[in-house]
Amino acid sequence: MNGGRTRVAVVGAGIGGLTLGIALQRAGVTVDLYERADELREVGAAVALSANGTRELYRLGVGEALDAVSTQPTELIYRDGRTAERIAAHTGGADYRARFGAPYWGIHRVDLQQTLAAAADPAHLHLGRVVTAVSDQGDGATITFHDGSTVTADVVVGADGVHSVVRDAVCGPGNGPVYSGSSAFRGLVKRSDLPSLPDPLAIQFWAGPHAHLLHYPMGGEARGDDTVNFFAVLCGPERWSGGNVEVPDGELLAGFEGWHPAVREMLAAVPQSPRWPLLSQPPLSRWTRGRVVLIGDACHAMLPHHGQGANQSIEDAVVLADLLAATDPDTALATYPRGRRARTRAVARSAWDTGTLLHLPDDDVAGLAERDARFKSYLDANAWVHEYAAATTAEDVA
Ligand SMILES: Cc1cc2nc3c(=O)[nH]c(=O)nc-3n(C[C@H](O)[C@H](O)[C@H](O)COP(=O)(O)OP(=O)(O)OC[C@H]3O[C@@H](n4cnc5c(N)ncnc54)[C@H](O)[C@@H]3O)c2cc1C
């Protein structure tokens, strides 16, 4: 074991950064996390975590605490967005857990982030630290902060998300994600405000021409949380520059004209959110430069239609942590992308394909038949996503 000899600095204390921090601390590696936010409070948004992610959170000892604030969807259901016909259904809950060895959770992001932060050593979590640049020094790397101060470590990890500053240091500027041609609205609704919704405890995709709705229960039934998170995707507009925008009231509902009443009821149950551009990272030619390395959205931001971005960040984090704990930094950084590139690229491609299937027009009769068949075989065909064990990957590539 390389143990405590390597000093690691992580830029970003999001899902990937915090998981990496905990994993390195558990392995006895010195690690400091630098987060630009003054407080960890991503209120209002949710995330779904599948067995490939939750298995690792159990391995790190935070599984029970997270389970207590999560809801396990009873089923995964695909429906026609206009008629509500069940196209396909797969059992969730205990069956899913038994099959894949770990649960599927719907959880508030703030609960996830705060539980992870509580498990990390607070003395090494530095909030309010905005990183402006990172440079490789050959036998280490230096972080520069907005106030001009610097920190040097043996390894610097960019876990700073989709608009990563560290990615610029690794790949050069202009290599970030691109707009996918689709955009989204999201909201949190009480189940009691959704009287028309069939199967409210399931995770459900409602598919239709040029749009889809995804929703799942979250927040931990045991503590009386009956929140449903929804994510409504519209194809278009054709071009987008910048981030989220406020759009005129009614734009979301207009995109779901003629859809089933349960869909429209959900969308109308809360004030319309800003409209989000959905971004996707073209494959990067490199994930490391000297002693600087990327994980998570910083190197492979993907469409959310597979619910895998956060799970892939968790997988990256534990594979990199296992390698840094087991070997010297140069070997670890040379080995890490070999274990992760093909996997994350396959998941990102699959998320893109899922979006295409969810948005097929009515006149694509052959396409719709194929869509229905793929939804019916979804869990078997995608078992490779859910059964993955990151610990084995680190051993295989080391
Ligand atoms: C609408 C939506 C729904 C999604 N749903 C799911 C889902 O259900 N399941 C799933 O697995 N994934 C989902 N994802 C994807 C998931 O949110 C991301 O893939 C995941 O958060 C990436 O984790 P990360 O740690 O790489 O980055 P992040 O979680 O984005 O964390 C990056 C951190 O870096 C910090 N930071 C950024 N820049 C700097 C800087 N210069 N200096 C210091 N700190 C900095 C940020 O403040 C942040 O805390 C969804 C994404 C979207 C947009």
Side-chain angles (χ1 to χ4, degrees):
M1 293 285 279
N2 188 47
R5 289 202 306 277
T6 303
R7 289 172 308 115
V8 179
V10 180
V11 181
I15 297 166
L18 284 168
T19 306
L20 178 63
I22 298 167
L24 287 172
Q25 283 168 7
R26 299 278 194 269
V29 177
T30 306
V31 55
D32 284 276
L33 289 98
Y34 299 96
E35 165 59 46
R36 71 177 167 195
D38 294 325
E39 242 186 293
L40 296 181
R41 53 170 173 81
E42 270 213 73
V43 184
V47 66
L49 295 178
S50 48
N52 49 311
T54 60
R55 154 174 22 266
E56 300 308 326
L57 297 172
Y58 272 98
R59 185 156 69 100
L60 296 178
V62 290
E64 271 79 19
L66 290 169
D67 196 53
V69 291
S70 302
T71 299
Q72 296 182 41
T74 50
E75 280 181 284
L76 164 63
I77 300 173
Y78 291 92
R79 290 183 190 274
D80 182 293
R82 270 84 51 86
T83 64
E85 176 205 344
R86 279 165 77 115
I87 300 168
H90 306 272
T91 50
D95 283 350
Y96 174 92
R97 188 174 191 153
R99 175 170 181 184
F100 295 111
Y104 195 105
W105 290 330
I107 184 169
H108 290 277
R109 262 173 209 260
V110 66
D111 287 339
L112 175 60
Q113 213 174 7
Q114 289 188 349
T115 306
L116 293 177
D121 181 349
H124 292 275
L125 175 57
H126 311 281
L127 300 178
R129 302 287 273 152
V130 183
V131 172
T132 53
V134 168
S135 59
D136 173 48
Q137 314 292 337
D139 58 353
T142 300
I143 296 175
T144 304
F145 297 95
H146 65 308
D147 58 4
S149 61
T150 59
V151 158
T152 297
D154 297 317
V155 172
V156 169
V157 182
D160 51 342
V162 66
H163 300 297
S164 171
V165 168
V166 185
R167 183 176 55 233
D168 292 349
V170 172
C171 306
N175 283 297
V178 295
Y179 173 57
S180 64
S182 53
S183 53
F185 297 80
R186 53 192 202 178
L188 299 177
V189 190
K190 293 280 158 214
R191 277 210 308 276
S192 48
D193 292 333
L194 303 170
S196 314
L197 183 65
D199 303 305
L201 288 172
I203 177 167
Q204 303 200 59
F205 284 92
W206 300 69
H210 314 299
H212 80 267
L213 171 70
L214 161 69
H215 60 84
Y216 53 85
M218 55 179 282
E221 282 226 281
R223 62 175 181 174
D225 190 339
D226 73 339
T227 308
V228 170
N229 173 66
F230 78 74
F231 185 59
V233 175
L234 295 174
C235 294
E238 205 173 310
R239 292 196 170 69
W240 194 295
S241 62
N244 306 345
V245 289
E246 296 287 347
V247 294
D249 260 350
E251 196 164 301
L252 169 58
L253 269 175
F256 287 84
E257 192 67 52
W259 284 55
H260 190 267
V263 170
R264 292 180 59 80
E265 178 182 80
M266 185 177 295
L267 302 181
V270 283
Q272 182 181 281
S273 75
R275 190 166 182 163
W276 293 53
L278 295 183
L279 305 176
S280 173
Q281 174 68 56
L284 290 171
S285 57
R286 53 195 310 158
W287 286 19
T288 61
R289 180 176 293 278
R291 293 292 186 86
V292 186
V293 56
L294 303 172
I295 67 168
D297 277 11
C299 56
H300 50 62
M302 57 188 69
L303 290 178
H305 309 322
H306 231 15
Q308 278 297 319
N311 288 294
Q312 295 307 307
S313 300
I314 292 169
E315 288 183 10
D316 286 350
V318 294
V319 170
L320 181 59
D322 286 353
L323 290 169
L324 283 168
T327 183
D328 66 276
D330 294 319
T331 307
L333 267 51
T335 309
Y336 156 74
R338 288 212 301 274
R340 297 297 304 152
R341 287 177 80 97
R343 161 97 177 153
T344 52
R345 205 173 286 187
V347 173
R349 252 198 317 265
S350 184
W352 191 285
D353 290 349
T354 303
T356 307
L357 285 181
L358 285 165
H359 304 151
L360 288 177
D362 288 336
D363 58 5
D364 186 353
V365 177
L368 288 168
E370 190 197 329
R371 175 198 75 178
D372 292 359
R374 285 178 59 179
F375 287 167
K376 285 183 177 120
S377 64
Y378 176 82
L379 213 49
D380 288 337
N382 290 282
W384 62 274
V385 175
H386 300 256
E387 66 200 9
Y388 179 86
T392 323
T393 303
E395 282 164 20
D396 287 349
V397 293

